[in-house]
Amino acid sequence: MRALKMGPMSEAPDVATAWRWLLERKPGTRGATHDSLPAIVGAAHAEPRLRNLYPFPTHGTLHFLRSAPPWADPNQDDLPFILYGGPPFEVYASAYATLLGEAATPAEAAALVVSHLPVDVVGHSTTCRSR
């Protein structure tokens, strides 16, 4: 598993702020200038299980991380993610291990991610934990 690296973009300190910044397209936020990202962010935010994970756009993808920064554990990025340049929108397992499917709409892509989340993943305001 690769470790997450922080770049020159500002990282939100918690899950709720990360979603708010993406939804508002706050300048300086990762992905704020990509016109195809807002529809994916809106659809993902509408899914309660995704809304409780940390949204992390990078290199044309929207990842869902188990916690907010700082990321000491490299296993934070082990969940499915969306390649948002579509349609079609591709959903992959972590690290592009497997193409899980293609979706015609952002809402379908978000639902596809949710359908492939491990059952024990439950979001929390700062971390994602197991029951």
Side-chain angles (χ1 to χ4, degrees):
M1 186 69 49
R2 63 183 162 72
L4 296 172
K5 298 195 190 303
M6 305 254 292
M9 298 286 185
S10 61
E11 307 299 345
D14 56 64
V15 171
T17 302
W19 282 110
R20 188 174 69 250
W21 287 2
L22 285 172
L23 290 165
E24 294 173 356
R25 297 184 80 175
K26 180 182 181 245
T29 300
R30 217 175 254 288
T33 60
H34 295 276
D35 288 336
S36 58
L37 182 58
I40 290 291
V41 169
H45 188 261
E47 292 281 352
R49 288 185 72 197
L50 296 181
R51 188 171 51 242
N52 288 320
L53 296 169
Y54 190 91
F56 190 83
T58 182
H59 298 92
T61 65
L62 181 59
H63 290 252
F64 304 95
L65 308 180
R66 293 175 179 265
S67 71
W71 295 295
D73 181 359
N75 293 323
Q76 295 303 312
D77 189 17
D78 66 344
L79 301 174
F81 65 92
I82 300 169
L83 186 64
Y84 60 77
F89 301 97
E90 296 176 343
V91 175
Y92 285 91
S94 179
Y96 290 96
T98 305
L99 174 63
L100 299 173
E102 293 183 340
T105 67
E108 290 172 4
L112 188 57
V113 170
V114 170
S115 74
H116 285 89
L117 288 175
V119 294
D120 65 340
V121 171
V122 285
H124 186 264
S125 61
T126 57
T127 61
C128 185
R129 53 197 159 108
S130 296
R131 284 187 207 192

